[in-house]
Amino acid sequence: MATYIFRRLLLMIPTLFGILVLSFIVIKSTPGDPASGRFGGAAAAQGGMNAERGTEDAEKAFRKNFKLDEPLYVQFFWFVGRIFRGEMIYYTKQGSIWPDLIPAMKITLMINSIVFLLVYLLAIPMGIFSATAPHSTGDRIMTLTLFVLYSLPSFWVAEMLRLGVLESNLGLPVSGLQSPNADRLSLLPWLWDYTLHLVLPILCMTYASLAYISRQMRAGMLEVVRQDYIRTAKAKGCSPARVIWVHALRNSLFPIITLFASLLPALIGGSVIIEYIFNIPGMGKLTIDSVFSREYDMILVTMMLSAVLTLLGILISDIMYVLVDPRVSFESKN
Amino acid sequence: MIETTSAVLKIDHLVTQFRTENGYFTAVNGLTLNIGKGRILGLVGESGSGKSVTSLSIMRLLPESSARIAEGTMTFLGKDLVRLPSRQMQELRGHDISMIFQEPGTSLNPVYKVGSQVAEVLLLHQQATSGNVMQRVIELFHEVGIPHPAERIHSYPHEMSGGQKQRVMIAMALACNPQLLIADEPTTALDVTIQAQILGLIRKLQQTRQMSVLFITHDLGVIAEIADDVAVMYRGKLVEQGPIEEIFTNPQHPYTRGLLACRPTLESQKKRLNTVADFMDVVENQATGEYTIVPKHAHSERMVLAEKNARDRLFSPRSEVISLGYDVSAIPENRFIPEGTKPLLSVRDLQVYYPVRTGFLRRVTGHIKAVDGISFNVYRGQTLGLVGESGCGKTTTGRALMRLISFTGGEFDFNGIPWSQLSERNLRPHRRKLQIVFQDPYASLNPRMTVEAHLTEAMAVHQLGASKNDRRDMAAQLLVEVGLKEEHLPRYPHEFSGGQRQRICIARALAVEPEFIICDESVSALDVSVQAQVLNLLKDLQEKRGLTYIFISHDLSVVKFMSDMIAVMNQGRLVEYGPSELIYADPRDEYTRRLISAIPQVSEEKLRQRIAAGNKETAL
């Protein structure tokens, strides 16, 4: 197992390098750069305004300093070199990005982990319930509700919830992660305040994935209960509950383990919008702001982080597959 | 008649129905049956006859949402199983009545170790405590003949062979010493040598434990090996039942007679097989769905004509057969292909290896030799039978010759073309000459394509027929040729039975006017009576169109019926290759001998021997 994981981790390196090259090219091919953001751009330079104010020299120095006029490959290797040294900076503010990025990353990871747990903890029993009584009234109601939820775009739901909560005076906070007076609260009230702030964003991020995963769980379960070994279990004299929880459950997990790998990047992508709407200082908000101000380092680092998370998600789902299904071995997985 | 006083299970007028869109469909229609104490009752019938539904009715394992037991009683040890509360039924299952199934591969839960799956029954029915349960499982494994039981209990199902998995299933079924064992086609999915072992095991365990067995199968040969009494089902009804000697020596019902006659046997020299239709006609009443069976005279004109006109076996040129080491001086010259004829297909040293990769760098550290250097010739108009057990490489050989999979080494020429060396592009125009008919007629037809689309697609690719209408007419003719009707053209595969689908597959292969057809287990998935029809059809087509076949099968009796020359494969190699009759009459290889002796035989003499031996053992 250790050999397998080590090999897979090594294989990530070329993949990540490829992603890095592609992201770099995509970002560089968007119009504008940090210099034009800071010094007014090409239009201002042509009008001669910058020359009069003496900023033309400053812009030149800025461009030289950040190698913005060098050929693309020079810029790329300069950037790669700095990645290995950890010298990721804001071009405009001239400071390191880490003091902003690390807390934002923690917030995003925490929110996504909670969502992840919630999705799986709720989806599995919901799927089993639907599958054990297919086409019953309960199953039909659940199917319809989940279908409606799945079709609603999360940014719209988020906005509606935010407005609704504001109108109805429910006392639920709709912005940020802490109340203005959070510094003065003791631990328990502070935790309660924090939790209340998380309710709406987590709700918005959970429902759609929950709808999707529980449908998959239901389909997987329905497939498994038709199998011959389920008939064997019944013929042995197992109770209906034992048939489901002991014989069917573990086999029906395969499809949703596969989804694990694709759910992780989807969630992080989705959290960009939700964080923006609820004004949460997470990675999503940071990334969008950086895109607007052409902070290349910040954009690339956040992109690489989500790439790493995605690859780790795939690796984790492969490992879980081996743990759940004895027919799959690390040796045979290639 | 079977004694009814000591019956373990009495089924009285059982009616089991399935809910469909147009009301209820009756799968079992008024079945009355007794299973005597300590006896093995063989329940025979073709697919759809209701035999499996009967077994699931006894176990009450039919899906409650779609099936119901509408009438009847099933008295098991004084209790009526039809009306037993589900809780009590649950306690009965696995304890008093247990069951083994057709597919040992899918009947065991893939994610649990086999030992714990057997232990579960003992724990469920409190026949053991968690402390001593594994000891009991090891004893059971020992009893059913699993080698190294103490280690094997820790295996997962996928680490065991099919025969071993079926032994695990038997251990699981017998763990609580049930009164009644229901075996639903337990050997159908197994190789013939393994089948013989499993049948012997069931027989032995039945005798030592004096339990009753309901043994369900479509194969009368298997019944002859194991049953004391026989019941024959047809379309949900019992048509005949009685002790085995009576059924085999003096069958009363035309359906039973048809079933007995349509099996190809190793001894028979017949050129065509009987079918059930030679013994009876079924007259359907469209309005009520009722049918009546009209018996026919057994020896139809069709059979007499076929035996007279059909061609004899056609051996490879005399010199070639002699070079294989057979003495053929007694065989007349007209049975051989003339000397100097070029083979249609010539295979030299064909190899198909699959790499085995291990270690950190996934280096190739060995090979699985699926096909390990085989050579043979097939002449125009001949049938070469390729026989062997699962995993011997026979299917791989067929697919490599079709160039459907890549091969590692060797050469093969087809009709003078260096077939093995052509590029995919150069191969394509020639492909139509070599066609294949697969095993599973359910999986090898596209469910979204009509019969016409199936037949005309390849015609269009190879520019056969001038127009769409032209191809349509050709397709209609083909359907008639394979025994279907023109009006079937616009229909979809799901509207046909298994046998009809296989006829469509044959028509599809014929559509591009091939010279050579590879039949890869093409009748293995069919009922015996349907199998006989399809085998006859293949022979008719061969004689009419001058086709050449490679007939791949695990069933030596079918291969012997079909083939002029036989090649026996084992572990990727040809262990024996020669004229079919001589291979059967005088097998030289130990493996061939084992294969032949494992085939269930229906002969009165063998039957009497077995019954005598059984009675002796019981008396002891």
Side-chain angles (χ1 to χ4, degrees):
Chain A
M1 182 166 164
T3 329
Y4 174 77
I5 295 173
F6 184 58
R7 216 181 106 243
R8 285 287 301 266
L9 288 174
L10 278 186
L11 282 174
M12 271 188 195
I13 295 170
T15 316
L16 284 174
F17 187 77
I19 294 171
L20 185 64
V21 173
L22 278 180
S23 327
F24 188 79
I25 292 170
V26 168
I27 290 170
K28 282 289 176 183
S29 55
T30 55
D33 62 20
S36 57
R38 186 174 156 128
F39 297 101
Q46 265 178 359
M49 279 169 71
N50 290 343
E52 280 162 34
R53 293 189 202 151
T55 48
E56 198 171 340
D57 289 339
E59 186 179 343
K60 257 190 194 150
F62 185 87
R63 284 183 172 279
K64 194 166 181 323
N65 191 15
F66 295 111
K67 303 189 193 295
L68 290 176
D69 292 330
E70 301 275 351
L72 211 56
Y73 70 91
V74 177
Q75 296 192 37
F76 180 71
F77 287 110
W78 181 62
F79 173 76
V80 172
R82 286 188 300 117
I83 277 195
F84 281 105
R85 292 194 297 276
E87 291 168 7
M88 297 281 97
I89 49 157
Y90 283 116
Y91 289 70
T92 45
K93 288 194 277 182
Q94 310 268 333
S96 171
I97 63 167
W98 302 117
D100 285 341
L101 183 61
I102 287 169
M105 205 166 76
K106 281 184 185 162
I107 289 171
T108 299
L109 278 183
M110 176 204 56
I111 293 181
N112 278 298
S113 310
I114 296 174
V115 171
F116 222 86
L117 268 178
L118 272 180
V119 166
Y120 274 86
L121 285 182
L122 290 173
I124 291 173
M126 278 163 71
I128 292 176
F129 168 79
S130 278
T132 44
H135 310 299
S136 64
T137 318
D139 177 41
R140 277 167 206 270
I141 292 171
M142 200 181 263
T143 304
L144 184 69
T145 319
L146 290 173
F147 180 70
V148 170
L149 282 180
Y150 185 61
S151 344
L152 295 176
S154 63
F155 65 88
W156 181 81
V157 171
E159 195 56 28
M160 288 300 118
L161 275 175
R162 204 174 66 86
L163 292 175
V165 166
L166 278 178
E167 292 280 316
S168 61
N169 282 326
L170 277 175
L172 263 182
V174 293
S175 175
L177 278 177
Q178 294 180 344
S179 301
N181 62 348
D183 307 345
R184 281 166 277 139
L185 294 172
S186 57
L187 182 66
L188 276 179
W190 176 84
L191 209 60
W192 178 239
D193 178 61
Y194 202 95
T195 312
L196 283 183
H197 278 84
L198 281 176
V199 170
L200 286 184
I202 284 184
L203 188 71
C204 292
M205 286 176 67
T206 307
Y207 76 86
S209 304
L210 176 66
Y212 182 59
I213 300 282
S214 66
R215 287 291 86 182
Q216 294 297 322
M217 184 68 203
R218 176 181 186 267
M221 197 64 161
L222 281 178
E223 180 63 33
V224 168
V225 295
R226 279 207 303 268
Q227 298 299 314
D228 287 349
Y229 53 81
I230 296 300
R231 189 182 54 188
T232 308
K234 289 179 186 162
K236 271 183 194 178
C238 290
S239 65
R242 192 175 164 84
V243 169
I244 294 293
W245 291 99
V246 177
H247 288 274
L249 179 61
R250 204 168 141 188
N251 285 291
S252 62
L253 290 177
F254 306 150
I256 66 168
I257 289 175
T258 315
L259 288 173
F260 186 90
S262 55
L263 189 62
L264 200 63
L267 272 179
I268 289 172
S271 71
V272 171
I273 299 160
I274 302 294
E275 284 176 12
Y276 220 82
I277 292 174
F278 292 106
N279 200 25
I280 292 165
M283 246 166 77
K285 197 166 175 305
L286 203 59
T287 313
I288 292 193
D289 290 342
S290 316
V291 169
F292 288 135
S293 55
R294 301 286 185 277
E295 287 294 353
Y296 293 153
D297 279 13
M298 181 66 101
I299 302 171
L300 279 168
V301 168
T302 49
M303 277 176 124
M304 292 312 287
L305 277 176
S306 36
V308 170
L309 282 178
T310 309
L311 292 179
L312 282 179
I314 295 172
L315 178 60
I316 291 171
S317 83
D318 281 352
I319 292 172
M320 290 209 302
Y321 227 110
V322 179
L323 296 181
V324 171
D325 189 346
R327 284 167 298 184
V328 185
S329 70
F330 288 115
E331 192 61 23
S332 68
K333 258 191 122 33
N334 199 357
Chain B
M1 271 312 292
I2 304 166
E3 301 164 57
T4 49
T5 43
S6 65
V8 168
L9 178 72
K10 282 189 207 182
I11 301 175
D12 191 26
H13 202 77
L14 176 73
V15 178
T16 305
Q17 295 176 320
F18 284 92
R19 206 164 284 138
T20 66
E21 280 169 26
N22 345 306
Y24 281 96
F25 164 76
T26 305
V28 177
N29 194 354
L31 180 77
T32 301
L33 207 60
N34 292 309
I35 302 172
K37 188 163 171 44
R39 289 184 79 83
I40 300 184
L41 173 69
L43 186 58
V44 202
E46 58 197 26
S47 51
S49 62
K51 54 193 197 304
S52 282
V53 178
T54 304
S55 69
L56 293 174
S57 300
I58 298 169
M59 289 292 274
R60 291 251 307 270
L61 282 178
L62 290 162
E64 277 169 33
S65 54
S66 60
R68 66 169 190 192
I69 296 174
E71 285 174 46
T73 55
M74 296 187 288
T75 317
F76 176 76
L77 303 174
K79 293 174 210 152
D80 182 7
L81 297 182
V82 177
R83 278 150 202 94
L84 206 62
S86 40
R87 177 82 217 187
Q88 286 180 39
M89 195 64 218
Q90 189 184 309
E91 283 163 15
L92 218 70
R93 284 186 209 123
H95 186 260
D96 302 297
I97 310 178
S98 58
M99 195 162 174
I100 51 179
F101 302 96
Q102 176 169 356
E103 283 285 345
T106 55
S107 296
L108 287 166
N109 197 325
V111 302
Y112 295 109
K113 291 176 179 168
V114 287
S116 65
Q117 294 193 49
V118 176
E120 190 184 12
V121 199
L122 293 163
L123 294 171
L124 276 171
H125 298 291
Q126 278 128 36
Q127 297 279 312
T129 58
S130 47
N132 64 10
V133 69
M134 276 307 166
Q135 195 47 49
R136 277 285 294 136
V137 174
I138 292 171
E139 285 164 29
L140 279 165
F141 273 31
H142 183 74
E143 197 180 346
V144 298
I146 295 173
H148 314 295
E151 287 107 70
R152 281 322 241 167
I153 56 168
H154 300 296
S155 298
Y156 285 102
H158 71 275
E159 296 163 337
M160 300 182 118
S161 67
Q164 301 245 304
K165 278 184 255 195
Q166 198 60 292
R167 286 174 195 268
V168 172
M169 286 298 292
I170 293 171
M172 191 189 289
L174 298 187
C176 299
N177 281 317
Q179 304 270 339
L180 174 63
L181 172 71
I182 302 174
D184 188 357
E185 303 260 11
T187 57
T188 309
L190 302 175
D191 279 322
V192 62
T193 50
I194 309 294
Q195 164 169 293
Q197 293 170 16
I198 296 288
L199 290 178
L201 175 68
I202 294 178
R203 185 90 218 173
K204 189 189 95 191
L205 292 170
Q206 182 267 337
Q207 274 166 2
T208 51
R209 292 167 181 244
Q210 278 304 299
M211 65 180 173
S212 310
V213 178
L214 174 61
F215 195 101
I216 295 169
T217 180
H218 69 284
D219 188 347
L220 277 169
V222 171
I223 288 285
E225 295 274 315
I226 194 154
D228 301 314
D229 306 303
V230 183
V232 184
M233 273 183 95
Y234 180 72
R235 292 207 188 181
K237 283 184 180 163
L238 192 74
V239 294
E240 186 161 3
Q241 71 169 318
I244 184 149
E245 308 94 301
E246 269 182 50
I247 296 285
F248 276 89
T249 53
N250 189 18
Q252 296 302 307
H253 196 274
Y255 179 70
T256 318
R257 273 185 271 163
L259 271 189
L260 279 167
C262 68
R263 300 181 72 249
T265 58
L266 283 173
E267 301 82 16
S268 141
Q269 299 293 333
K270 277 186 194 160
K271 293 167 187 161
R272 290 294 182 277
L273 291 168
N274 275 109
T275 62
V276 172
D278 292 331
F279 293 86
M280 65 187 220
D281 278 326
V282 178
V283 184
E284 306 236 16
N285 183 335
Q286 295 291 347
T288 58
E290 295 283 310
Y291 62 92
T292 37
I293 292 172
V294 184
K296 283 208 286 197
H297 190 262
H299 293 289
S300 65
E301 279 176 46
R302 188 188 67 78
M303 287 302 291
V304 177
L305 264 177
E307 289 305 321
K308 204 168 75 191
N309 295 334
R311 76 159 167 82
D312 273 320
R313 296 191 191 268
L314 192 59
F315 302 133
S316 295
R318 190 185 284 271
S319 60
E320 192 177 318
V321 177
I322 292 171
S323 75
L324 290 169
Y326 288 91
D327 175 19
V328 287
S329 46
I331 300 175
E333 199 55 47
N334 64 2
R335 302 278 305 276
F336 294 93
I337 301 265
E339 293 292 337
T341 312
K342 285 245 178 331
L344 183 61
L345 177 76
S346 159
V347 181
R348 292 178 300 280
D349 202 26
L350 176 69
Q351 296 166 332
V352 184
Y353 291 1
Y354 295 110
V356 179
R357 290 168 196 278
T358 47
F360 182 70
L361 294 168
R362 323 295 306 156
R363 263 190 306 227
V364 178
T365 51
H367 286 98
I368 292 172
K369 297 177 176 176
V371 179
D372 192 12
I374 65 171
S375 309
F376 55 80
N377 289 329
V378 190
Y379 293 85
R380 193 179 289 277
Q382 246 189 344
T383 300
L384 171 74
L386 204 52
V387 66
E389 297 188 290
S390 53
C392 73
K394 55 192 192 302
T395 291
T396 311
T397 304
R399 296 198 176 172
L401 294 178
M402 287 290 292
R403 295 277 312 266
L404 292 174
I405 55 172
S406 58
F407 56 96
T408 316
E411 288 180 339
F412 39 100
D413 299 343
F414 177 73
N415 208 5
I417 307 166
W419 196 255
S420 54
Q421 271 142 49
L422 290 184
S423 67
E424 173 59 37
R425 196 189 158 80
N426 292 334
L427 190 64
R428 212 170 294 142
H430 299 295
R431 271 208 182 274
R432 69 173 183 86
K433 292 177 195 156
L434 196 60
Q435 291 293 309
I436 189 163
V437 178
F438 295 103
Q439 171 169 9
D440 187 349
Y442 291 87
S444 49
L445 290 170
N446 186 335
R448 305 264 180 277
M449 274 165 73
T450 61
V451 173
E452 184 183 341
H454 274 112
L455 298 187
T456 55
E457 186 189 28
M459 290 183 192
V461 169
H462 292 286
Q463 286 147 14
L464 298 170
S467 65
K468 202 164 182 285
N469 282 336
D470 214 16
R471 286 194 282 272
R472 204 195 123 87
D473 291 343
M474 286 160 70
Q477 273 176 23
L478 274 173
L479 280 188
V480 175
E481 197 176 341
V482 299
L484 295 171
K485 295 188 184 114
E486 189 181 340
E487 64 243 39
H488 291 146
L489 277 178
R491 298 208 192 152
Y492 287 91
H494 72 264
E495 298 172 66
F496 297 93
S497 67
Q500 286 175 320
R501 284 184 210 213
Q502 202 58 297
R503 287 172 192 266
I504 296 170
C505 291
I506 293 169
R508 177 175 61 179
L510 293 175
V512 288
E513 293 164 8
E515 296 168 25
F516 200 114
I517 297 181
I518 295 178
C519 301
D520 185 1
E521 297 272 12
S522 302
V523 296
S524 310
L526 305 176
D527 279 315
V528 202
S529 54
V530 182
Q531 173 180 304
Q533 295 167 13
V534 174
L535 290 175
N536 286 342
L537 172 67
L538 285 171
K539 280 209 158 186
D540 291 344
L541 289 170
Q542 177 170 49
E543 284 168 29
K544 202 171 124 208
R545 290 176 166 242
L547 292 167
T548 311
Y549 293 141
I550 287 185
F551 192 88
I552 300 172
S553 179
H554 67 284
D555 187 338
L556 194 54
S557 41
V558 171
V559 168
K560 176 164 180 277
F561 170 72
M562 282 301 289
S563 312
D564 303 307
M565 300 286 283
I566 289 181
V568 183
M569 266 188 102
N570 188 22
Q571 298 182 350
R573 292 176 167 277
L574 288 191
V575 294
E576 195 148 5
Y577 172 42
S580 59
E581 282 154 37
L582 298 184
I583 282 203
Y584 169 63
D586 180 24
R588 301 173 187 171
D589 189 80
E590 171 57 30
Y591 178 73
T592 317
R593 272 196 286 274
R594 255 193 299 148
L595 217 53
I596 290 174
S597 69
I599 293 172
Q601 307 281 320
V602 183
S603 73
E604 285 177 43
E605 191 192 350
K606 248 199 123 174
L607 209 60
R608 266 194 294 273
Q609 278 173 11
R610 201 205 81 207
I611 291 161
N615 289 342
K616 216 167 86 189
E617 273 178 49
T618 319
L620 289 170

